[in-house]
Amino acid sequence: GYLEISELGAITLTDKGHEIADKIYERHTVISELLVALGTDPDVAMEDACKIEHDLSEETFIKIKEHTLAKISELS
């Protein structure tokens, strides 16, 4: 129920598929930004975020997101 395949083979995400993709992208972005802020090379941070984003619990991600957003707003 996450994607649809047309008769011509075109693949599109359903609304549910978009919801999950958006969630994973948010995880990737927040984790990458945190790792870069910690001093990780941006390319390494992106690779590591790919590894982390799928296995991280929702509870831990929320705490990382809250912490990261708080630090960003402190710098503004």
Side-chain angles (χ1 to χ4, degrees):
Y2 301 115
L3 55 93
E4 295 173 343
I5 303 173
S6 74
E7 291 179 13
L8 298 175
I11 298 172
T12 56
L13 294 173
T14 63
D15 288 343
K16 193 172 183 179
H18 273 288
E19 185 180 312
I20 291 173
D22 290 345
K23 185 176 179 180
I24 295 297
Y25 181 73
E26 178 189 32
R27 283 174 166 245
H28 179 82
T29 302
V30 170
I31 294 166
S32 293
E33 289 174 2
L34 174 62
L35 295 175
V36 169
L38 292 172
T40 305
D41 176 89
D43 291 333
V44 174
M46 295 216 21
E47 287 180 32
D48 287 346
C50 287
K51 297 172 190 171
I52 295 168
E53 68 198 23
H54 297 283
D55 291 327
L56 196 62
S57 72
E58 184 66 18
E59 178 182 355
T60 299
F61 173 70
I62 289 169
K63 294 303 179 186
I64 289 171
K65 182 178 172 182
E66 288 172 354
H67 176 79
T68 302
L69 292 174
K71 291 298 179 186
I72 289 170
S73 77
E74 285 178 14
L75 298 173
S76 302

